[in-house]
């Protein structure tokens, strides 16, 4: 009881108050459980691989705040760093040593010369696009469908329903003029990308891609495709932006850039880089980065950018991401994927027999051929297993999903049946 926010605040009362005060009851749409059979569950705590709802139930968490919590909830070292920083203060709006520590740590391990911290992945992408446009003095951006780059206007674009090659906003409120400068292609479609470079010769500022698309299921790309994008953009004086907001520090420390040995011109980070506090980052060569104010004419700023709490949480997280940690994460993820698959392939009644678990590094995706994600989500929720509440979201494994948690997962999935 002591843990609960307020006696008598049930999930139902919290939800009804939220619905009248907050659009859709949420501060980010996926949290609303739209399209599912369940009502949103209000969570009030997390420890290791578990989250706790306001009515005292616990769940093995595979959402992990949509990725940032690679160490699990409430990691002791992150907590200690935060507590220590709290005694010193949490925002100065001045130069401070904490972001420099994190910068040193990152730039000594990544093939990048300069970094600037912002407050989210969206902001990082917005800044990267502005930098690319300024650097090339061009306007057009190539993006791929299925890749998510946050909610900046230029990225809320989909293929047009009219003429081939046209694009339109995927959100109301984005002007057609903005949509017109974003060109959309299918992942893997080099032919159309090449044609477009020929057609808009000298007009394309940047190609942006999630080098491991993980916002529309998990769609690993061929190295050749990414390498070819590198070559085409280079030949055309276009900058290649890798949006590593999910893949950075997850697919190994250096993300896809390191894994596949492909050097983009600009990289964006988010999620893990702040260890669960709001941090995004844009990083590149000094030449590109120094276009930014106060040196150059690209304006970019942030009242709370590089906030000391976020900086120390990020560093305390990243410091633990050793090669051994990645091996452990990889091993645990494989076990978890097998545990799900085993169950899914054998679930009584065969309801979920056509689900497939695709896992890559510590991301997995449960796809269904016949059955509904809705049903799967409800069943898992009732068994105390929390997935991100959308069929398109991947699952995230953390270092806290250890042998004990995997044993518990097996028990919850199987309900004690002998397999
Ligand atoms: C999450 C995500 C973003 C947006 O980051 P926010 O912090 O939610 O603004 C951008 N790009 C990719 C690849 C992401 O996964």
């Amino acid at each position: 009881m002591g843990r609960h926010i307020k006696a008598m605040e049930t999930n139902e009362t919290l939800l009804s108050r939220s619905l009248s005060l907050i659009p859709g009851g949420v501060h980010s749409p996926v949290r609303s459980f739209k399209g599912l059979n369940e009502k949103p569950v209000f969570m009030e705590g997390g420890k290791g691989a578990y989250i706790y709802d306001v009515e005292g139930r616990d769940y093995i968490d595979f959402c992990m705040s949509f990725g940032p919590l690679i160490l699990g909830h409430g990691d002791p070292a992150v907590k200690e760093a935060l507590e220590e920083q709290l005694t010193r203060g949490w925002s100065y709006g001045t130069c401070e040593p904490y972001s420099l520590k994190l910068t040193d740590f990152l730039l000594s391990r990544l093939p990048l010369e300069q970094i600037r911290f912002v407050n989210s992945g969206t902001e990082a992408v917005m800044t990267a696009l502005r930098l690319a446009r300024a650097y090339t003095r061009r306007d057009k951006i190539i993006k791929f469908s299925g890749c998510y780059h946050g909610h900046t206007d230029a990225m809320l674009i989909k293929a047009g329903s009219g003429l081939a090659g046209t694009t339109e906003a995927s959100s109301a409120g984005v002007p057609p003029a903005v949509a017109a400068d974003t060109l959309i292609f299918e992942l893997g479609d080099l032919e159309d990308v090449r044609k477009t470079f020929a057609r808009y010769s000298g007009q394309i500022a940047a190609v942006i891609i999630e080098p491991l698309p993980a916002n529309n299921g998990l769609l690993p790309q061929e190295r050749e495709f990414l390498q070819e994008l590198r070559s085409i953009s280079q030949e055309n004086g276009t900058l290649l932006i890798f949006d590593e907001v999910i893949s950075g520090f997850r697919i190994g420390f250096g993300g896809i850039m390191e894994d596949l040995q492909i050097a983009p011109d600009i990289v964006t980070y988010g999620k893990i880089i702040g260890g669960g506090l709001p941090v995004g980052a844009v990083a590149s060569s000094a030449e590109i980065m120094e276009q930014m104010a106060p040196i150059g004419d690209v304006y970019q700023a942030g009242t709370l950018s590089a906030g000391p709490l976020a900086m120390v949480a990020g560093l305390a997280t990243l410091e633990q991401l050793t090669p051994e940690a990645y091996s452990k994460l990889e091993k645990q993820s494989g076990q978890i994927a097998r545990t799900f698959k085993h169950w899914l392939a054998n679930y009584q009644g065969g309801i979920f027999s056509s689900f497939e678990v695709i896992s890559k590094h510590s991301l997995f995706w449960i796809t269904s051929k016949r059955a509904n994600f809705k049903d799967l989500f409800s069943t898992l929720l009732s068994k105390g297993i929390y997935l991100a509440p959308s069929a398109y979201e991947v699952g995230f494994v953390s270092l806290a999903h250890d042998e004990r948690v995997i044993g518990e997962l097996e028990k919850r999935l199987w309900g004690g049946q002998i397999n």
Side-chain angles (χ1 to χ4, degrees):
M1 269 314 280
R3 278 200 303 113
H4 301 326
I5 294 176
K6 207 199 263 184
M8 309 310 289
E9 284 268 79
T10 62
N11 205 80
E12 195 58 48
T13 59
L14 289 166
L15 182 60
S16 71
R17 281 203 290 127
S18 294
L19 286 169
S20 66
L21 301 173
I22 300 159
V26 292
H27 298 284
S28 192
V30 70
R31 300 179 195 174
S32 69
F33 285 30
K34 194 174 171 184
L36 301 177
N37 294 329
E38 306 295 321
K39 292 195 172 142
V41 182
F42 282 68
M43 302 294 180
E44 64 170 16
K47 185 99 191 76
Y50 292 86
I51 37 171
Y52 305 100
D53 72 20
V54 291
E55 296 182 358
R57 278 178 295 267
D58 65 66
Y59 306 81
I60 301 175
D61 185 9
F62 289 106
C63 176
M64 301 314 286
S65 193
F66 291 94
L69 303 178
I70 193 168
L71 304 175
H73 292 276
D75 177 77
V78 176
K79 187 162 176 272
E80 194 187 320
L82 282 169
E83 282 169 349
E84 205 184 302
Q85 185 57 41
L86 274 173
T87 64
R88 290 189 289 249
W90 43 89
S91 193
Y92 316 125
T94 65
C95 288
E96 35 59 51
Y98 314 108
S99 58
L100 184 58
K101 265 197 186 167
L102 181 55
T103 298
D104 277 337
F105 186 84
L106 289 167
L107 296 184
S108 63
R109 285 163 180 78
L110 298 168
L112 296 158
E113 292 174 354
Q114 292 195 357
I115 193 162
R116 183 168 277 181
F117 294 114
V118 293
N119 301 292
S120 68
T122 294
E123 262 189 78
V125 166
M126 191 178 84
T127 302
L129 296 175
R130 190 175 303 141
L131 277 172
R133 283 170 158 160
Y135 188 79
T136 58
R137 303 283 154 185
R138 301 171 179 179
D139 293 340
K140 294 202 183 298
I141 306 285
I142 285 181
K143 171 192 184 293
F144 294 90
S145 53
C147 289
Y148 177 69
H149 300 292
H151 61 98
T152 187
D153 282 2
M155 296 288 96
L156 293 178
I157 309 296
K158 61 182 181 187
S161 51
L163 292 172
T166 59
T167 52
E168 58 189 51
S170 61
S171 161
V174 175
V178 171
D181 276 334
T182 303
L183 309 167
I184 307 278
F185 297 92
E186 294 300 319
L187 285 160
D189 181 3
L190 283 171
E191 204 183 311
D192 276 349
V193 169
R194 280 203 195 90
K195 276 190 207 153
T196 298
F197 267 104
R199 179 166 164 210
Y200 293 108
S201 172
Q203 296 179 54
I204 301 171
V207 173
I208 184 167
I209 188 165
E210 270 186 272
L212 174 60
N215 278 288
N216 220 317
L218 189 59
L219 307 166
Q221 298 298 298
E222 299 287 346
R223 182 181 191 280
E224 291 65 37
F225 171 60
L226 296 171
Q227 181 57 53
E228 210 33 42
L229 290 181
R230 172 65 290 179
S231 308
I232 303 171
S233 45
Q234 202 145 20
E235 287 157 20
N236 287 276
T238 296
L239 300 189
L240 178 64
I241 303 170
F242 272 7
D243 181 356
E244 299 238 35
V245 169
I246 280 191
S247 52
F249 316 108
R250 183 159 286 276
I251 310 307
F253 195 89
I256 292 284
M257 171 175 73
E258 178 184 71
D259 190 45
L260 299 183
Q261 292 291 304
I262 296 174
D265 298 294
I266 304 178
V267 191
T268 54
Y269 294 110
K271 301 196 168 102
I272 292 173
I273 199 171
L277 276 85
V279 182
V282 52
S284 180
S285 63
E287 187 193 357
I288 290 174
M289 295 296 284
E290 287 184 347
Q291 296 180 100
M292 261 191 267
I295 300 178
D297 54 4
V298 174
Y299 192 69
Q300 190 283 329
T303 301
L304 297 175
S305 288
L309 286 173
M311 295 291 104
V312 301
L315 184 60
T317 299
L318 297 173
E319 277 177 339
Q320 297 184 56
L321 300 178
T322 58
E324 298 71 46
Y326 286 108
S327 313
K328 182 168 179 253
L329 194 57
E330 184 68 32
K331 182 165 161 252
Q332 290 171 189
S333 306
Q335 288 173 316
I336 286 164
R338 280 191 296 280
T339 306
F340 268 114
K341 202 172 224 165
H342 189 42
W343 173 71
L344 295 165
N346 289 281
Y347 186 64
Q348 300 246 320
I351 309 169
F352 302 128
S353 63
S354 58
F355 279 97
E356 240 187 303
V357 180
I358 298 167
S359 111
K360 172 129 178 119
H361 299 275
S362 50
L363 302 172
F364 65 85
W365 185 39
I366 299 180
T367 66
S368 89
K369 295 200 185 76
R370 277 204 310 271
N372 280 325
F373 177 81
K374 269 202 284 213
D375 297 333
L376 175 77
F377 181 83
S378 295
T379 302
L380 293 183
L381 195 71
S382 72
K383 289 172 181 287
I385 298 163
Y386 186 73
L387 294 181
S390 156
Y392 297 102
E393 298 287 348
V394 294
F396 293 93
V397 175
S398 80
L399 283 158
H401 291 75
D402 60 11
E403 298 289 338
R404 270 180 68 172
V405 175
I406 296 168
E408 179 62 23
L409 174 68
E410 182 128 4
K411 225 163 74 191
R412 291 186 183 193
L413 286 170
W414 278 90
Q417 292 171 55
I418 311 265
N419 56 28

